[in-house]
Amino acid sequence: MAAILWGFIHRTPWLPRVRPYRNDLRVIAQITRAGWVRVLRDARGPAAFIARDGAIVHALYVHPRAQRRGMGRILLEDAKRGQPRLELFVAEANTPARAFYRAHGFAEVARSCGAGNDEHLPDVHMVWHQDRSAEA
């Protein structure tokens, strides 16, 4: 999971590195022990993961080798099962992720200057409602 996360950070020029790697490892261990994480593997190992606490999606990352193979969709659809609502924050600059979430029924409900995230980057609050998805 750390390799997937760090790979994204290194490939994303607009995303500043704000935490030491050991902090990421500690958080990954904590959320895994808490049962928030689901990992999908391919023949080469971990390929995608989601971290979710109830209705809050904290992270969804797919390794570049596994992108466009439906792993993000599988993780998100699994997260939706049994949930009337999901919500997440995504960096405003992350246009591919915002498009992915919109394509999966999430709607933008608010924007912020980023004061609430570690990177202090403007972000978008997005929400999915089961009842609205059923109508679409």
Side-chain angles (χ1 to χ4, degrees):
M1 287 178 7
I4 295 169
L5 174 63
W6 297 336
F8 175 77
I9 292 168
H10 290 296
R11 287 185 316 278
T12 308
W14 52 261
L15 187 61
R17 180 82 190 141
V18 297
R19 290 176 306 280
Y21 291 116
R22 69 181 175 277
N23 287 17
D24 288 339
L25 291 173
R26 185 173 50 250
V27 169
I28 288 169
Q30 289 170 341
I31 64 176
T32 301
R33 280 193 302 271
W36 291 10
V37 177
R38 176 154 183 235
V39 177
L40 294 181
R41 298 174 177 276
D42 63 12
R44 294 177 58 192
F49 73 92
I50 190 169
R52 179 179 62 89
D53 179 22
I56 308 295
V57 176
H58 292 279
L60 174 58
Y61 291 95
V62 179
H63 194 285
R65 74 171 185 268
Q67 289 178 349
R68 308 256 180 245
R69 292 182 17 210
M71 291 192 170
R73 178 189 51 78
I74 290 167
L75 289 169
L76 201 53
E77 291 302 319
D78 181 64
K80 288 176 177 179
R81 261 186 232 105
Q83 292 290 328
R85 177 179 195 271
L86 289 177
E87 64 180 286
L88 54 86
F89 288 86
V90 61
E92 185 179 273
N94 195 344
T95 52
R98 290 174 37 218
F100 170 81
Y101 292 122
R102 270 193 309 277
H104 289 88
F106 283 77
E108 180 180 321
V109 294
R111 289 180 178 238
S112 82
C113 65
N117 64 58
D118 292 344
E119 296 81 12
H120 300 289
L121 294 174
D123 57 16
V124 179
H125 185 195
M126 299 184 82
V127 175
W128 168 83
H129 292 277
Q130 180 181 38
D131 56 338
R132 290 187 193 149
S133 292
E135 296 168 5

